Amino acid sequence: MFCFSTSINKRNLIYGVFDNEVNLMSAVEEVREKGIEVFDCYTPFPVHHLDTAMGISRTRLSIAAFLCGLTGFCLGLLLQFYMMVFDWPMNIGGKPSDYHMLPSMVPVVFECTILCTAFGLAFLFFFRNKMGHGVRPDILDLRQTDDHLLIAFDADTLNHDSKNELKVILNKNGVLTTHEYVGQYAVNQGGVHA
Amino acid sequence: MSVIDAAIRPPLITGGKTYADVTADICRPLENKPSRLWWIGFSVSFFCLMILAATLFWTVWTGIGVWNINKSVMWGWDITNFVFWVGIGHAGTLISAILLLFRQKWRMSINRSAEAMTIFAVMCAAIFPMFHMGRIWVGAYWVFPLPNAFGSLWVNFNSPLLWDVFAISTYFSVSLVFWYLGMIPDIATIRDRATTKARKFWYNFFSMGWTGSVRTWARYEVVSLILAGISTPLVLSVHTIVSMDFATSIVPGWHTTIFPPYFVAGAIFSGFGMVLTLLLVARKVLNYENYITIGHLEAMAKVVMLTGTMVGLAYITEFFIAWYSGYEYEQFAFQNRAFGPYWWAYWTMMGCNLLAPQVFWFKWARTTPWFLFMLSIVVNVGMWFERFVIIVTSLHRDYLTSSWVMYEGSFIEVGIFIGTFGLFFTCFFLFCRFLPVINMAEVKGILKNKE
């Protein structure tokens, strides 16, 4: 997992706009073959295997999910043991209120496990993506959530030669336009269809 | 290649749609003024919702005696309706979770609305157990493990009714999380198209800063898969636990080990009935015939037929086992079900749930929308009667003949039931008005013609 910030704030980016994921995918592969790192791609729908093509390692959220589930499992057991066995044992219909009641603890333990997994995972997902209600989105192009796909590069990591090389590769793979993003405004750099 | 798909398969989305078309089509109903039809539907639903408010108020104000339940039939319309609504909810999770695990791509145009249906149905369901306790204001610590002034005298974890509380509340909250998480990319799409200040603010608020970054998508896909993975046993557990409300009690007609699978099959059956009812109307009114195609309807009809036959098998198995057990109380309970005073309810159930779905062996029946719509109503009716039969016919003939009674829902009980339809449809109409009914992001991923 990459640990640097992926926010576009205060960054100089070069980005290309594509209208289909096949071209985007081949552009990513070709760019990476030349040793140029992709800063990020923005797509309106999940493009499978694009993350591996960009060299992003698999998220560890699945491990976190297991730990959340384990927590829920323990909390469920603790809740029932505390209430039914330690704090106030009750004899209702002659049913046990000691460890013999383990089988009837299963449903509640199960539900607690699921509940903690789902909520823990959702919160971690938001946390990991720095998502939250009212967070201002870093949108480069309004079409990136509609019908266009964006590929972005950190301009500060590229020298003059690799910038030119990059543009050749993007044009070869059918980029619609390329733009430069400096802080808050974007400059049209031209492209095959510009 | 991004999507591995056999070229010979017919496209799931027809009409040669492009990505831009998908966005425009799905956003159209929520970006334009609501149609006349929407206002009529919403008004009728809202009127029914007011009936719910009035009848519930009357129940609480006067007391539970306004219902016709009595000492023998202590569960009547209330728990019938509870099980009916919970069952309907199950199709949503089945479509979005189980079909995701099975990689059934046709689920993508219907999962959003089916999940919405789940959430609204569970809301309707929760009303009944809450209000059937009578004193709703002390209901919180009767059902939830909350500290109270009696000891604390905690809830009874040996009771299946308490398991149900945990199951239903977990089911509701996890479905809500799953639904919302899946909707964030689409809310972001609407946000970036918004023109008015209010729309910009609210869609921005709920989109949580979504940009469509590949890193986010990669995590999103993993999270969706895990949520689907845990929702699958969850949905099976919910109706299993609902069935345990009956199966763990020693009442002839209820004390049956086949109840869990039988209830789960019934839940999926009734849920798909309701999904069909809703989507057949929605695809027409909202002009989504290219997204919810005849192929989708046919697939759902097949599920209805399969699960209908499964519940039918369960009905017959119950009958056989009652005879085979040699236990005369059980035998009486089942004879009384089929040939006693509630024979009409039993045979309505049999007709609607076992026989009616058999027409789906014919392709014409599976692919004709108006016929499917009628059948979906039949399924809904049948599944309501199933719960009525299980509950009322098992209770109204007690061990002592002096306790034998008849039961029919009172005016208030019927009003509450009609009212829950009001709640359900009011929520659904609002959902159609403000949120995308079809998952745009996923549908864009399965388009065949990549323009």
Side-chain angles (χ1 to χ4, degrees):
Chain A
M1 182 61 65
F2 284 59
C3 284
F4 62 80
S5 163
T6 50
S7 168
I8 61 168
N9 208 8
K10 290 182 192 147
R11 269 177 204 280
N12 298 325
L13 299 177
I14 297 174
Y15 68 92
V17 181
F18 288 87
D19 65 358
N20 73 67
E21 75 269 28
V22 181
N23 289 359
L24 174 75
M25 196 70 153
S26 61
V28 168
E29 278 162 0
E30 206 167 317
V31 159
R32 283 195 29 102
E33 267 170 32
K34 297 277 188 234
I36 301 172
E37 278 302 319
V38 180
F39 172 69
D40 210 341
C41 292
Y42 301 93
T43 59
F45 51 89
V47 180
H48 301 287
H49 310 304
L50 183 58
D51 49 337
T52 40
M54 278 168 61
I56 300 172
S57 52
R58 195 188 146 85
T59 171
R60 289 167 301 181
L61 279 173
S62 34
I63 301 167
F66 175 74
L67 295 176
C68 291
L70 202 63
T71 313
F73 179 84
C74 296
L75 283 178
L77 270 182
L78 190 71
L79 177 87
Q80 297 183 75
F81 264 107
Y82 171 71
M83 289 178 181
M84 282 295 276
V85 179
F86 296 111
D87 191 45
W88 197 279
M90 282 181 289
N91 184 342
I92 297 168
K95 289 176 184 170
S97 54
D98 53 14
Y99 70 91
H100 284 105
M101 68 168 287
L102 265 174
S104 52
M105 286 185 178
V106 169
V108 172
V109 168
F110 174 77
E111 302 299 338
C112 289
T113 310
I114 302 286
L115 191 69
C116 283
T117 314
F119 275 81
L121 190 60
F123 282 118
L124 286 170
F125 171 73
F126 294 140
F127 179 76
R128 192 70 190 80
N129 296 329
K130 300 189 176 63
M131 282 167 72
H133 289 301
V135 167
R136 242 175 65 97
D138 291 333
I139 294 288
L140 285 170
D141 189 312
L142 282 180
R143 295 171 298 175
Q144 78 188 47
T145 55
D146 179 4
D147 57 342
H148 285 71
L149 302 93
L150 267 55
I151 182 169
F153 302 90
D154 195 339
D156 298 339
T157 63
L158 303 171
N159 58 33
H160 187 70
D161 286 349
S162 50
K163 271 185 194 170
N164 286 338
E165 200 173 14
L166 182 68
K167 274 176 195 159
V168 171
I169 295 173
L170 290 183
N171 283 334
K172 202 176 93 189
N173 284 295
V175 72
L176 299 183
T177 50
T178 50
H179 305 262
E180 220 163 280
Y181 172 88
V182 187
Q184 291 298 314
Y185 58 94
V187 186
N188 195 326
Q189 290 285 296
V192 275
H193 301 292
Chain B
M1 279 300 291
S2 59
V3 182
I4 298 156
D5 205 0
I8 51 160
R9 290 205 175 196
L12 290 163
I13 309 296
T14 55
K17 301 286 182 187
T18 62
Y19 299 142
D21 291 340
V22 173
T23 315
D25 288 348
I26 312 294
C27 291
R28 192 171 299 121
L30 48 108
E31 285 175 346
N32 293 315
K33 282 217 162 69
S35 63
R36 246 177 104 83
L37 225 53
W38 186 89
W39 275 114
I40 294 169
F42 181 75
S43 310
V44 173
S45 313
F46 194 75
F47 177 73
C48 291
L49 179 62
M50 290 301 106
I51 295 179
L52 179 70
T55 45
L56 285 181
F57 176 79
W58 191 244
T59 303
V60 174
W61 184 256
T62 316
I64 206 83
V66 296
W67 296 359
N68 269 354
I69 45 175
N70 50 53
K71 208 133 186 256
S72 299
V73 183
M74 70 286 186
W75 281 352
W77 276 59
D78 50 351
I79 302 301
T80 302
N81 298 339
F82 161 68
V83 183
F84 172 76
W85 278 116
V86 174
I88 281 177
H90 280 54
T93 322
L94 182 101
I95 289 169
S96 56
I98 300 182
L99 295 187
L100 185 131
L101 296 184
F102 285 148
R103 298 182 185 276
Q104 292 294 307
K105 288 197 179 124
W106 59 272
R107 77 171 199 288
M108 287 173 181
S109 353
I110 57 171
N111 59 0
R112 170 77 44 76
S113 40
E115 282 170 46
M117 185 194 78
T118 295
I119 291 161
F120 306 146
V122 176
M123 277 160 57
C124 293
I127 288 173
F128 294 100
M130 291 302 282
F131 280 85
H132 98 303
M133 294 185 301
R135 286 185 283 157
I136 182 99
W137 54 95
V138 291
Y141 62 82
W142 280 1
V143 293
F144 293 109
L146 297 173
N148 54 64
F150 304 113
S152 296
L153 196 59
W154 301 110
V155 289
N156 177 16
F157 286 99
N158 277 318
S159 162
L161 300 177
L162 184 82
W163 306 343
D164 219 0
V165 172
F166 274 81
I168 300 293
S169 40
T170 302
Y171 186 44
F172 176 74
S173 18
V174 172
S175 302
L176 198 63
V177 167
F178 200 10
W179 187 56
Y180 179 53
L181 208 66
M183 207 149 45
I184 289 176
D186 285 359
I187 296 177
T189 304
I190 303 167
R191 170 198 70 200
D192 293 342
R193 290 166 58 89
T195 44
T196 67
K197 215 171 169 184
R199 295 177 68 85
K200 273 188 178 144
F201 176 80
W202 286 111
Y203 288 107
N204 185 44
F205 182 79
F206 286 111
S207 68
M208 297 178 89
W210 179 271
T211 57
S213 150
V214 166
R215 289 183 175 79
T216 320
W217 273 124
R219 292 178 199 128
Y220 171 92
E221 296 239 303
V222 169
V223 169
S224 301
L225 198 63
I226 295 173
L227 283 181
I230 61 171
S231 295
T232 302
L234 175 66
V235 66
L236 300 180
S237 85
V238 172
H239 230 59
T240 298
I241 292 175
V242 169
S243 81
M244 284 173 181
D245 291 347
F246 304 99
T248 58
S249 62
I250 312 169
V251 172
W254 286 3
H255 195 57
T256 320
T257 44
I258 63 162
F259 258 31
Y262 155 30
F263 267 51
V264 171
I268 293 164
F269 177 63
S270 67
F272 267 84
M274 189 56 108
V275 171
L276 274 173
T277 313
L278 284 178
L279 291 185
L280 281 161
V281 177
R283 72 193 281 271
K284 198 85 197 162
V285 174
L286 301 173
N287 241 332
Y288 286 161
E289 272 120 331
N290 280 321
Y291 296 94
I292 302 163
T293 62
I294 296 291
H296 290 93
L297 301 180
E298 191 179 359
M300 286 191 272
K302 284 176 185 168
V303 177
V304 167
M305 190 187 74
L306 174 72
T307 48
T309 313
M310 279 160 76
V311 286
L313 178 68
Y315 300 155
I316 296 165
T317 309
E318 271 188 326
F319 233 98
F320 171 75
I321 292 297
W323 166 75
Y324 190 66
S325 69
Y327 179 55
E328 60 180 312
Y329 296 101
E330 194 77 18
Q331 287 169 348
F332 173 77
F334 279 90
Q335 269 172 26
N336 180 54
R337 249 182 214 185
F339 307 111
Y342 285 109
W343 62 271
W344 48 273
Y346 184 83
W347 293 106
T348 308
M349 166 189 100
M350 272 297 201
C352 294
N353 297 349
L354 175 58
L355 300 180
Q358 301 309 321
V359 295
F360 289 140
W361 287 103
F362 301 100
K363 196 178 171 78
W364 177 85
R366 296 195 302 265
T367 52
T368 311
W370 67 266
F371 186 78
L372 269 170
F373 184 77
M374 281 172 48
L375 247 290
S376 74
I377 302 285
V378 167
V379 168
N380 286 319
V381 171
M383 282 313 284
W384 188 87
F385 271 99
E386 181 202 290
R387 280 63 178 255
F388 182 81
V389 164
I390 291 174
I391 292 171
V392 173
T393 67
S394 305
L395 291 175
H396 84 123
R397 290 288 178 259
D398 212 336
Y399 289 102
L400 292 173
T401 41
S402 59
S403 309
W404 286 18
V405 286
M406 290 297 285
Y407 165 81
E408 59 184 41
S410 74
F411 177 71
I412 298 291
E413 286 173 283
V414 178
I416 295 175
F417 183 50
I418 292 169
T420 48
F421 276 98
L423 174 64
F424 181 79
F425 283 104
T426 304
C427 291
F428 202 82
F429 275 110
L430 289 175
F431 162 66
C432 291
R433 178 79 195 95
F434 293 108
L435 292 166
V437 178
I438 291 175
N439 192 333
M440 292 188 265
E442 286 195 329
V443 164
K444 283 172 193 167
I446 54 166
L447 288 183
K448 276 260 177 171
N449 50 327
K450 308 287 184 192
E451 285 303 322

